[in-house]
Amino acid sequence: MIKHFLIGLMLLGQLTILAQEKVITGKITDNIGEPLIGVLICQVNTNNCTYSDYNGLFHLLTDDKHAAQLKIEHIGYKTLIFSKLDTISDLFRAKMTNEKVSNEFNNFDNYPNRKFKYGFISFLQVDFILNDFGDFRTLLNNYNADLMNRSSGIFSIEFAGTYKKYYAGFNLGWANDGVYNHDSLSIEFNTTQYGLHFGYNLLNTKRLLITPKIAIKWNRYGLLNYDKDKSIPIEKYMHERDLDLKFNQMIGFAGVNLSYKISNFNPLPTDYWTFGVYGGYAFKLHNETWIYSHGNRLESNGKIRVENYNFGIHFSFNFDGE
């Protein structure tokens, strides 16, 4: 009888010990989901510790006589404290982030990725808008119309700000072309572009940025014909009169930016830089062409025809904030 009593006491003691201990199985990853090896996992204020293996997995036997908290540490990553051990019923998951990230959190499974609230972008881009000045060919002669039609690439600089996923910017562009091989006439054609751009970062990953955007562009085309000789009699100038015209056309645009992000090689002190392309639908905001010559508004039935597509290439340097 005494023997059975002692065996019962021993079994009760073993059950009590098992009730006080719990095995936690977990997996440790970085903020993009890659497993971390060699992460130190300890029950807080104890020497009860273990390390994650090459798959990021660990097993730790905890004792409820001590604090019901886990401390997770790894070099280069922010230390984590988890206080809800009694809620763990299956595989425990924890995400660790680089120490540069200062977000605070309590639940590892719902850990939020870092999201920038505002920033600044500087673009260098070449914009291609295909125009046709054929309506003015009879009036301005073929040599002028041919030069105007072939001048389609505009180099521009854009400065933009971002707030959360939204972006807005202003650009200034210019281009210049000319023909100087005529016997007595020099021809120059230059373009100035002003634009407002608005977009939304639909997809923003470690390497890829996709931004649908709309834009309003004011293209101001200047055509100049002047005598090739540097010095001419004033009588000749008054008789032949140099040609100096400004054509103005407002363009609407709806399309998308596709950018590839680079941060490991950065020639400037920025968070990252990108290169990419954009393209979309272009349309005229007014049908009548605004033509000026110095102080005069010139009336004409001629119109600038605009192809209904617009594309370009760009580089950008990005400064992100919080």
Side-chain angles (χ1 to χ4, degrees):
M1 189 72 178
I2 295 175
K3 180 179 179 181
H4 290 105
F5 178 74
L6 292 174
I7 292 174
L9 287 177
M10 291 176 63
L11 290 174
L12 181 63
Q14 290 295 325
L15 291 173
T16 302
I17 292 172
L18 290 174
Q20 291 175 343
E21 296 179 339
K22 180 178 182 180
V23 176
I24 296 177
T25 299
K27 184 173 183 178
I28 312 296
T29 62
D30 60 18
N31 63 337
I32 62 172
E34 294 295 326
L36 290 176
I37 185 174
V39 178
L40 179 64
I41 303 100
C42 295
Q43 190 170 0
V44 172
N45 297 326
T46 73
N47 292 323
N48 183 23
C49 300
T50 188
Y51 291 91
S52 63
D53 63 17
Y54 63 92
N55 289 318
L57 296 172
F58 73 91
H59 305 279
L60 181 67
L61 182 64
T62 63
D63 188 343
D64 63 4
K65 291 181 180 180
H66 300 285
Q69 293 180 312
L70 286 185
K71 185 176 182 181
I72 303 174
E73 297 179 286
H74 196 47
I75 296 174
Y77 290 83
K78 185 179 178 182
T79 299
L80 309 179
I81 302 293
F82 187 75
S83 305
K84 300 178 181 179
L85 301 187
D86 56 339
T87 65
I88 300 174
S89 59
D90 50 12
L91 184 66
F92 169 75
R93 297 180 182 274
K95 293 181 181 179
M96 303 194 74
T97 61
N98 191 284
E99 286 184 336
K100 294 180 180 179
V101 180
S102 59
N103 292 329
E104 296 182 357
F105 51 93
N106 293 316
N107 190 329
F108 298 121
D109 291 329
N110 297 321
Y111 171 67
N113 290 325
R114 185 182 185 187
K115 295 184 183 299
F116 297 111
K117 292 184 178 180
Y118 64 87
F120 173 76
I121 309 174
S122 177
F123 286 95
L124 301 176
Q125 56 197 18
V126 180
D127 190 42
F128 295 95
I129 297 180
L130 305 180
N131 301 304
D132 183 359
F133 289 85
D135 279 6
F136 302 95
R137 188 175 292 275
T138 302
L139 179 65
L140 298 177
N141 295 319
N142 289 333
Y143 52 82
N144 279 317
D146 290 341
L147 174 61
M148 296 164 77
N149 286 341
R150 82 182 188 203
S151 302
S152 56
I154 304 171
F155 175 79
S156 66
I157 298 176
E158 179 179 344
F159 299 97
T162 61
Y163 177 71
K164 295 184 178 178
K165 292 186 176 183
Y166 298 93
Y167 127 81
F170 168 79
N171 84 285
L172 174 63
W174 59 90
N176 185 268
D177 201 354
V179 175
Y180 307 100
N181 55 6
H182 293 283
D183 292 337
S184 61
L185 185 67
S186 293
I187 309 169
E188 290 186 3
F189 185 68
N190 57 74
T191 303
T192 305
Q193 183 186 85
Y194 308 92
L196 293 175
H197 302 254
F198 305 93
Y200 179 80
N201 292 331
L202 183 65
L203 179 65
N204 189 354
T205 68
K206 184 178 181 181
R207 289 299 184 197
L208 192 63
L209 182 62
I210 298 178
T211 308
K213 60 181 285 189
I214 59 174
I216 299 174
K217 304 178 183 182
W218 172 23
N219 295 321
R220 184 175 174 85
Y221 307 101
L223 176 65
L224 179 64
N225 289 181
Y226 58 92
D227 196 289
K228 202 167 190 176
D229 293 333
K230 292 296 182 182
S231 300
I232 60 172
I234 190 172
E235 293 81 8
K236 181 179 180 181
Y237 173 79
M238 295 301 295
H239 180 264
E240 297 183 359
R241 192 66 63 92
D242 288 350
L243 181 64
D244 188 359
L245 298 176
K246 297 293 187 295
F247 299 83
N248 296 267
Q249 183 70 60
M250 300 287 289
I251 302 293
F253 170 81
V256 63
N257 273 3
L258 178 61
S259 306
Y260 183 75
K261 298 164 66 173
I262 300 175
S263 56
N264 53 354
F265 173 73
N266 203 339
L268 295 177
T270 61
D271 291 279
Y272 62 90
W273 64 282
T274 73
F275 69 90
V277 297
Y278 61 89
Y281 180 72
F283 54 94
K284 295 195 295 184
L285 294 178
H286 55 88
N287 195 39
E288 180 185 358
T289 303
W290 305 331
I291 308 173
Y292 294 88
S293 180
H294 300 295
N296 299 112
R297 168 73 187 276
L298 306 178
E299 297 181 355
S300 172
N301 294 324
K303 298 176 178 61
I304 302 174
R305 297 189 182 95
V306 177
E307 294 290 346
N308 291 125
Y309 56 89
N310 178 203
F311 61 95
I313 58 176
H314 65 82
F315 296 86
S316 73
F317 300 95
N318 299 260
F319 304 81
D320 286 329
E322 293 181 344

